[in-house]
Amino acid sequence: MDGPDRREKDLCERARTQDGFFTAEQAMALGFTGEDVVAAVAAGTWAQPEPGLFRLAPWRSTDLEDVARCCVRLDDAVVSHQSAAELHGLGHLHPRFLHVTSTATATSRLDRVAVHHSAMPPGDCEHTGAFRITTPLRTVFDLADGGVSQWVLDEVVGDAFAIGRLDRDALE
């Protein structure tokens, strides 16, 4: 399968891993032109929730679509630190910001998003189906490195052990 059918299939596969979202750059990398983008939006096959960001239409809304949108906007950022702990159900951090880790040096500024810059080895993340998130082990290391209190860290580790998401040997 070549040409437009292949491009559309590849775009759909990419968008499925990002809660239906994709950037103009991602579409262009798959061979879509500016004219293709305008035509897809005009035809209603793509929605444009904000400049440079698109979503396959119709795509069902989810409770975490803002998280997925942020990760796509920040070049495949990974949910991390306090936000990862919260989404994993570890501790009671209730972060005021969405914490993500990105390897990109130049990122867009987004309200209520804390961007941490670090390399993220593939084994340190999991995919939720809509975005990537650090594993519970990496989350513990990020929180420890980020300076949370020992009490908070103990609670996160205890919860991770209690629900079987952390291995004692791996932690040691």
Side-chain angles (χ1 to χ4, degrees), residues 73-132:
R73 286 290 313 257
L74 295 174
D75 293 327
D76 293 328
V78 178
V79 176
S80 62
H81 296 75
Q82 289 91 331
S83 298
E86 184 79 10
L87 289 174
H88 282 302
L90 309 177
H92 296 89
L93 283 84
H94 306 293
R96 292 180 20 213
F97 297 93
L98 172 63
H99 290 261
V100 298
T101 297
S102 175
T103 57
T105 52
T107 59
S108 307
R109 291 198 59 179
L110 298 173
D111 289 339
R112 306 193 58 75
V113 178
V115 181
H116 305 269
H117 297 280
S118 177
M120 187 62 62
D124 284 354
C125 334
E126 302 171 345
H127 200 283
T128 67
F131 51 86
R132 293 181 311 142

Side-chain angles (χ1 to χ4, degrees), residues 13-121:
E13 287 175 13
R14 177 70 185 248
R16 275 190 203 101
T17 67
Q18 302 176 150
D19 203 19
F21 293 105
F22 55 95
T23 64
E25 292 81 17
Q26 291 172 339
M28 302 285 186
L30 293 172
F32 287 91
T33 65
E35 293 80 26
D36 295 332
V37 171
V38 170
V41 171
T45 55
W46 297 0
Q48 187 174 13
E50 57 189 77
L53 186 71
F54 301 90
R55 195 174 202 189
L56 297 177
W59 194 272
R60 65 175 173 75
S61 290
T62 65
D63 291 341
L64 296 174
E65 68 184 44
D66 289 339
V67 175
R69 180 189 311 205
C70 177
C71 289
V72 172
R73 286 290 313 257
L74 295 174
D75 293 327
D76 293 328
V78 178
V79 176
S80 62
H81 296 75
Q82 289 91 331
S83 298
E86 184 79 10
L87 289 174
H88 282 302
L90 309 177
H92 296 89
L93 283 84
H94 306 293
R96 292 180 20 213
F97 297 93
L98 172 63
H99 290 261
V100 298
T101 297
S102 175
T103 57
T105 52
T107 59
S108 307
R109 291 198 59 179
L110 298 173
D111 289 339
R112 306 193 58 75
V113 178
V115 181
H116 305 269
H117 297 280
S118 177
M120 187 62 62

